[in-house]
């Protein structure tokens, strides 16, 4: 059976996009015409069969019918700011140990979309496509006990703040333009298959938020904001985000986030390598993807850089159509730079799942010191590798639920200025089941550039929302063909694509913004908040 599948030559539909620059033969799944769940599952099974033996699916030519895609751009989907408030909180602490604890907490919350939402396939980004957005979030509050977790003031079950609707994207909340009818709201909501029900916890008191007003948007999608922020009050802080597709083969994007109010930045290169193994899709970082780099540019942690590596993930349940993610390997967080003193490092070890029974999503880890002059620490990739005399703290739990932590008795009392007892009792580091994704704020379509993600894919998105799958596929192919034509023209002229917002050289894994990139990021930081927008409307 397997030999037959591997030998199967992929067929390319007449309207499929042909990419001469891509490695290997095209992998194509023709539209079955059945847009129900059974039809989608059949197409997925065909795709899995044709992908067996492929070394890296992410680098292949892949043509999928629009009915298998979710109505959102890839650049909007992939980011690491599901909890921007915890990103901004990293530099709140005077003590380096507390800052490392904050980085660990942020690491567990950066991809909440994969915990609360379903796995989905967004659009493939085209070369030169870019996306920008921002978040206005209240700063976290802290208990007088430094061992206690911070108090989050938005989109958490222990607060009185809730999303605008209990029907949400895996990572966003739905907001409908003011004046939109309830019947139309239900129509749009039902048209988005990736919406998942999020039930409020027992301590939530749902309070509707003001809808975003996007007056000049048109079409079905114009009344929908995939992620709308709440009005910013005077104490809110802003996190701005910019990303651009800088390579098509292999598909690579660069990203940059900034929170000037907390003197902290995040940057990196996104590229994945994926391979079908049995009934599982294995997803690992690509060669350009060196991890996430967080730089502190001022305040107590000035000069520090935190390097966060990516683990290996597996998408399971493919043949059953019941997708869920498990994580293997380890994430390593290394702090360099700063004012000197002891160097800190964290090991987050995701436990292997058993082949039998349910997945448990277990994780454990340590925060430890290391000697920069001795490279032995680079081999410490699991908790058991770290000598106890170096360990400052231990944490454990479920990376989809609650993770607890405590200081260890072997740590030197002089390693930190935090007034925590040595060998302290376990406290909650983070409860992921109590957190929701904080929605982003995106400029309305009329303010966006032609190659900005939402505007670029608007014709596809609006038709997917209305379940017009055939038309959606035609518009999707038109976008891909236009990219092909532009590539052919560059080749004819002997020109090379140059990214607009990022420097071309991304070999270090740390992207550098161009002058245009800095300008776009600054514009996003200065973008009018919703409350300012409402005030101007009231005055007019």
């Amino acid at each position: 059976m397997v030999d037959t599948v591997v030998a199967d030559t992929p067929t390319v539909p007449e309207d499929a996009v042909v990419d001469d620059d891509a490695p290997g033969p095209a992998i194509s799944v023709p539209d079955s015409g059945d847009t129900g769940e059974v039809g989608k599952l059949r197409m997925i099974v065909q795709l899995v069969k044709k992908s067996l033996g492929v070394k890296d699916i992410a680098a292949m030519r892949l043509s999928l019918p629009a009915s298998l895609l979710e109505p959102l751009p890839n650049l909007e989907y992939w980011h690491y700011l599901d909890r921007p408030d915890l990103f901004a909180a990293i530099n709140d602490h005077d003590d380096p140990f507390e800052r490392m604890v904050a980085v660990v907490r942020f690491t567990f919350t950066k991809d909440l979309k994969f915990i609360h939402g379903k796995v989905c396939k967004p659009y493939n980004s085209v070369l030169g496509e870019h996306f920008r957005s921002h978040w206005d979030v209240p700063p976290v509050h802290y208990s007088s006990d430094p061992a206690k977790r911070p108090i989050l003031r938005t989109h958490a079950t222990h607060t009185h703040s809730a999303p605008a609707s209990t029907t949400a994207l895996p990572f966003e909340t739905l907001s409908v333009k003011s004046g939109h009818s309830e019947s139309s709201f239900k129509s749009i909501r039902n048209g988005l298959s990736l919406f998942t029900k999020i039930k409020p916890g027992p301590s939530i008191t749902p309070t509707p938020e003001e809808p975003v007003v996007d007056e000049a948007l048109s079409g079905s999608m114009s009344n929908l904001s995939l992620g709308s922020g709440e009005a910013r009050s005077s104490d809110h802080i802003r996190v701005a985000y910019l990303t651009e597709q800088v390579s098509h083969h292999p598909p690579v994007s660069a990203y940059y986030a900034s929170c000037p109010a907390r003197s902290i930045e995040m940057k990196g290169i996104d590229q994945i390598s994926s391979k079908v193994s049995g009934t599982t899709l294995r997803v690992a970082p690509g060669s350009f993807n060196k991890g996430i780099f967080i730089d502190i540019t001022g305040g107590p942690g000035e000069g520090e850089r935190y390097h966060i590596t990516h683990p290996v993930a597996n998408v399971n349940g493919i043949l059953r159509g019941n997708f869920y993610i498990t994580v293997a390997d380890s994430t390593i967080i290394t702090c360099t730079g700063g004012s000197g003193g002891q160097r800190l490092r964290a090991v987050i070890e995701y436990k292997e799942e058993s082949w039998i029974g349910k997945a448990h999503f277990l994780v454990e880890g340590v925060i430890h010191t290391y000697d920069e002059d001795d490279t032995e620490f680079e081999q410490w990739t699991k908790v058991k590798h770290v000598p106890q005399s170096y360990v400052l703290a231990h944490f454990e739990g479920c990376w989809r639920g609650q993770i607890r932590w405590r200081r260890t008795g072997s740590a030197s009392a002089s390693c930190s200025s935090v007034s925590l007892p040595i060998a302290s009792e376990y406290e909650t580091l983070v409860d992921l089941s109590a957190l929701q994704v904080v929605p982003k704020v995106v400029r309305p379509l009329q303010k966006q550039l032609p190659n900005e993600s939402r505007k670029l894919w608007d014709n596809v998105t609006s038709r997917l929302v209305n379940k017009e799958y055939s038309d959606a596929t035609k518009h999707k192919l038109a976008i891909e063909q236009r990219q092909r034509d532009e590539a052919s023209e560059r080749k004819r002229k002997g020109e090379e694509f140059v990214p607009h917002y990022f420097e071309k050289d991304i070999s270090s894994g740390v992207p550098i913004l161009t002058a245009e990139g800095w300008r776009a990021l600054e514009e996003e930081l200065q973008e009018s908040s919703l409350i300012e927008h409402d005030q101007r409307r009231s005055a007019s």
Side-chain angles (χ1 to χ4, degrees), residues 47-97:
L47 177 62
V48 171
K49 287 181 177 180
K50 294 184 177 187
S51 300
L52 288 172
V54 176
K55 186 177 181 180
D56 184 3
I57 299 173
M60 299 296 294
R61 288 178 282 171
L62 188 60
S63 180
L64 297 179
S67 57
L68 283 183
L69 304 176
E70 298 295 349
L72 76 162
N74 186 63
L75 292 182
E76 178 172 358
Y77 183 67
W78 285 103
H79 63 78
Y80 305 102
L81 288 167
D82 285 347
R83 293 301 308 197
D85 49 349
L86 288 177
F87 165 68
I90 289 172
N91 200 25
D92 284 356
H93 311 281
D94 292 329
D95 188 86
F97 174 79

Side-chain angles (χ1 to χ4, degrees), residues 43 57 59 179 215 261 435 446 465 501 510:
M43 286 188 282
I57 299 173
E215 294 180 337
L435 301 182
Q446 74 269 19
V465 167
Y501 298 107
V510 184

Side-chain angles (χ1 to χ4, degrees), residues 20-61:
D20 296 329
D21 295 327
I27 298 176
S28 178
V29 178
D31 196 336
S32 66
D34 183 355
T35 58
E37 293 303 316
V38 174
K40 289 182 179 180
L41 182 57
R42 286 173 179 165
M43 286 188 282
I44 290 171
V45 171
Q46 287 184 55
L47 177 62
V48 171
K49 287 181 177 180
K50 294 184 177 187
S51 300
L52 288 172
V54 176
K55 186 177 181 180
D56 184 3
I57 299 173
M60 299 296 294
R61 288 178 282 171

Side-chain angles (χ1 to χ4, degrees), residues 403-466:
I403 299 170
R404 61 179 191 164
W405 78 287
R406 68 178 178 88
R407 289 291 298 274
T408 60
S410 60
S412 168
S414 63
C415 69
S416 172
S417 61
V418 184
S419 57
L420 289 176
I422 300 300
S424 59
E425 295 297 320
Y426 275 103
E427 295 283 354
T428 299
L429 175 71
V430 63
D431 185 357
L432 297 157
S433 63
L435 301 182
Q436 296 138 9
V437 175
V438 178
K440 65 178 73 70
V441 179
V442 182
R443 293 158 29 258
L445 290 183
Q446 74 269 19
K447 295 184 66 175
Q448 295 182 22
L449 297 174
N451 60 342
E452 205 159 340
S453 292
R454 286 195 182 178
K455 190 160 189 174
L456 176 69
W457 294 98
D458 182 50
N459 285 330
V460 180
T461 301
S462 61
R463 282 155 179 80
L464 284 179
V465 167
N466 292 325

Side-chain angles (χ1 to χ4, degrees), residues 19 90 136 147 149 184 192 230 363 415 427-428 507:
D19 190 345
I90 289 172
D136 292 323
R149 57 178 160 165
S184 298
L192 283 167
E230 56 191 16
V363 66
C415 69
E427 295 283 354
T428 299
S507 58

Side-chain angles (χ1 to χ4, degrees), residues 231-472:
R232 180 169 62 164
S233 65
S234 59
D235 73 330
H236 279 40
I237 54 180
R238 175 163 292 188
V239 177
Y241 179 75
L242 173 68
T243 180
E244 181 182 16
Q245 192 75 8
V246 297
S247 171
H248 187 56
H249 291 302
V252 178
S253 61
Y255 60 88
Y256 204 106
S258 176
C259 180
R262 291 296 185 270
S263 302
I264 188 167
E265 299 174 345
M266 178 179 71
K267 62 205 74 170
I269 300 297
D270 258 339
Q271 179 200 8
I272 62 171
S273 173
S274 54
K275 180 179 181 180
V276 173
S277 177
T279 59
T280 299
L281 179 66
R282 182 182 184 274
V283 181
S287 59
F288 287 102
N289 188 339
K290 313 294 186 185
I292 300 170
F293 296 86
I294 295 177
D295 291 334
I296 299 180
T297 60
E302 184 175 5
E304 290 179 346
R305 165 169 285 184
Y306 294 87
H307 177 210
I308 307 171
T309 65
H310 294 293
V312 174
N314 295 294
V315 180
N316 306 272
I318 294 176
L319 297 184
R320 297 192 304 273
N322 182 25
F323 306 135
Y324 66 94
I325 291 176
T326 57
V327 183
D329 203 13
S330 297
T331 287
I332 308 296
I333 306 173
T334 306
C335 178
T336 57
S339 58
Q342 282 189 312
R343 294 303 185 194
L344 298 181
R345 185 173 180 264
V347 177
I348 302 175
E349 182 182 345
Y350 296 91
K351 297 301 183 180
E352 292 285 347
E353 301 289 352
S354 171
W355 287 92
I356 304 174
K358 293 176 61 178
H360 297 287
F361 313 108
L362 298 180
V363 66
E364 72 168 326
V366 293
I367 296 174
H368 66 86
T369 60
Y370 74 94
D371 183 355
E372 281 185 304
D373 298 326
D374 186 352
T375 59
E376 182 186 6
F377 71 88
E378 295 176 358
Q379 307 303 316
W380 302 345
T381 58
K382 294 185 179 297
V383 171
K384 65 181 181 182
H385 296 161
V386 183
Q388 281 300 309
S389 59
Y390 288 79
V391 176
L392 304 182
H394 179 268
F395 49 91
E396 62 183 25
C398 171
W399 59 266
R400 294 173 64 95
Q402 188 173 105
I403 299 170
R404 61 179 191 164
W405 78 287
R406 68 178 178 88
R407 289 291 298 274
T408 60
S410 60
S412 168
S414 63
C415 69
S416 172
S417 61
V418 184
S419 57
L420 289 176
I422 300 300
S424 59
E425 295 297 320
Y426 275 103
E427 295 283 354
T428 299
L429 175 71
V430 63
D431 185 357
L432 297 157
S433 63
L435 301 182
Q436 296 138 9
V437 175
V438 178
K440 65 178 73 70
V441 179
V442 182
R443 293 158 29 258
L445 290 183
Q446 74 269 19
K447 295 184 66 175
Q448 295 182 22
L449 297 174
N451 60 342
E452 205 159 340
S453 292
R454 286 195 182 178
K455 190 160 189 174
L456 176 69
W457 294 98
D458 182 50
N459 285 330
V460 180
T461 301
S462 61
R463 282 155 179 80
L464 284 179
V465 167
N466 292 325
K467 299 184 179 181
E468 298 168 358
Y469 297 117
S470 178
D471 283 348

Side-chain angles (χ1 to χ4, degrees), residues 132-136 232 237-241 258-261 441 443 447 518-530 532-533 536:
R132 50 186 267 202
S133 64
H134 67 265
W135 294 259
D136 292 323
R232 180 169 62 164
I237 54 180
R238 175 163 292 188
V239 177
Y241 179 75
S258 176
C259 180
V441 179
R443 293 158 29 258
K447 295 184 66 175
W518 283 114
R519 187 176 295 110
L521 196 65
E522 183 62 28
E523 287 176 358
E524 197 64 35
L525 288 167
Q526 299 301 323
E527 186 73 22
S528 298
S529 67
L530 296 179
E532 293 166 348
H533 178 79
R536 287 197 302 270

